[in-house]
Structure formats: structure tokens, C-alpha cells
Amino acid sequence: MNDCLFCQIVAKEVPADIVVETGRALAFRDINPQAPTHVLVVPKAHYENAAALAAADDGLADDLLKACHTVAVQEGVAETGYRIVFNTGQGAGQTVFHVHAHVLGGRSLTWPPG
Ligand code: 5GP
Ligand code: ZN
């Protein structure tokens, strides 16, 4: 059995609050939200991080970014503003090594992030 948590969510073996599903991507609410909108957008295929996803070079990164925007529109934050974050590597706070975009919005977001 694949022991990757987000592969298990994609396979619907672990429950999640899914907000958008496309052919190649899945978006679900973060279990520990840091903003009123905090959705994780993952490719259904397993890539460890954003660099590995970019290297795949098959249009999947484009699909993922489009799915992020779809989430923002659906969540009603596309006009007010939102942030897309890929924590990449342990030093940047990545804890789940299946690439995921955090889509954050619904409150004012400070810059730079901590
Ligand atoms: P990272 O720290 O890797 O950038 O982000 C991982 C995110 O996954 C965290 O924000 C964390 O709250 C979220 N997370 C961890 N376990 C689960 C889970 O079982 N379900 C959901 N929906 N989110 C999770
Ligand atoms: Zn995975």
C-alpha cells in the first residue's frame, strides 16, 4: 500500500473535504486552516515537490495552477486576493512530500511570510 497521505486522499482511502476535482488534480480543505480559505491542491500523480513536478514537463503544473484559480473563484477570493504557496523542502516547512499548492485567502495576508 502506498504510504503517502495525499496519494491516499486522492485514492479516497483517507477522507477529505474535497472542493474541486479535475481529471488530473484534486483540491481539498487543509485540516489545520491558516486562513478562512485554506485549500490544498495536489496532482493526482505523485511528485515529491514543486521541482519534481516542474521537471515532469507534461503540462501537469499548468493544470495544477489552473485548478488553484478555479478554487479561488469558487471560494470567492479571486477578486479580493489570494496566495498560492508551494513549501519546497524541510527548511521551507514542507511536511508532506507529495507536491501541494496551498491556496490561502479570505483575510489580509502579510508580506513577507514568516
Ligand atoms: P506543508 O507543511 O507540507 O506545506 O503542508 C502540509 C499541509 O497538510 C499542512 O498545512 C497540514 O495542515 C495539512 N495536512 C496534514 N495532514 C492532513 C490531513 O490528513 N488532511 C488534510 N486535509 N490536510 C492535512
Ligand atoms: Zn503521494
Side-chain angles (χ1 to χ4, degrees), residues 55-87:
D57 199 24
D58 63 352
L60 185 54
D62 300 26
D63 284 6
L64 200 71
L65 199 54
K66 285 174 185 149
C68 290
H69 184 63
T70 301
V71 167
V73 170
Q74 193 168 303
E75 291 288 303
V77 299
E79 300 299 326
T80 50
Y82 61 97
R83 186 171 292 165
I84 300 172
V85 175
F86 289 92
N87 293 326

Side-chain angles (χ1 to χ4, degrees), residues 4 6-7 46 98:
C4 169
F6 288 174
C7 280
H46 181 96
H98 177 133

Side-chain angles (χ1 to χ4, degrees), residues 3 8-9 50 54 60 77 83-84 90 96 99 101 104 107 113:
D3 63 0
Q8 290 171 4
I9 288 177
L60 185 54
V77 299
R83 186 171 292 165
I84 300 172
Q90 273 178 345
V96 178
V99 62
L104 297 147
R107 64 169 169 82

